Amino acid sequence: PEEAKGEMLTEKVDVFSMGHLFFRLICGHEPWNKLEPGGKPSKETIHQKVVKGVLPFVPKKVAHTKDKEVAAIREAMFKCYTYDPKNRPSARQIANYLNGVIEK
């Protein structure tokens, strides 16, 4: 979101982008594409949503999964998608979270 708003960028923008990688991994498509209700939105609409902190649509099968690994990646994705970069975890924190879930 900070990039879309023209703010100063830090490493936290890369963590937000990591959320997009997790999205693709568990949803099978890139965010803001085929899974959006009504089809892929325009670039302008996507930009407006990102600036407002609206997340891409997550399919019900992913949002309510009972699969432990998919649920862990989904939660990591949501952590990466934290709107305020000051509150967004670091890449190391995301890795530690996933390692902790895997070790259980």
Side-chain angles (χ1 to χ4, degrees):
E2 55 272 25
E3 185 174 13
K5 295 187 296 183
E7 296 177 354
M8 186 168 151
L9 304 180
T10 68
E11 70 280 354
K12 297 290 185 92
V13 75
D14 294 328
V15 174
F16 191 89
S17 295
M18 190 166 48
H20 291 332
L21 296 173
F22 290 144
F23 185 99
R24 184 163 186 130
L25 181 68
I26 60 176
C27 296
H29 290 283
E30 62 274 5
W32 307 111
N33 202 344
K34 296 179 181 180
L35 301 177
E36 290 297 306
K40 183 176 181 176
S42 68
K43 287 182 181 182
E44 295 80 24
T45 300
I46 293 170
H47 178 81
Q48 291 171 356
K49 288 183 176 192
V50 170
V51 168
K52 291 178 182 175
V54 177
L55 297 179
F57 176 78
V58 177
K60 286 182 183 178
K61 69 177 184 170
V62 174
H64 303 292
T65 186
K66 298 200 186 295
D67 183 298
K68 180 181 170 183
E69 288 82 13
V70 173
I73 294 168
R74 180 196 62 221
E75 292 310 307
M77 175 187 77
F78 285 132
K79 290 174 187 293
C80 291
Y81 280 158
T82 300
Y83 185 75
D84 186 342
K86 293 181 204 116
N87 297 327
R88 194 176 304 142
S90 68
R92 172 56 44 210
Q93 289 171 312
I94 294 294
N96 289 343
Y97 165 75
L98 288 171
N99 283 334
V101 172
I102 291 168
E103 291 173 358
K104 287 184 180 179

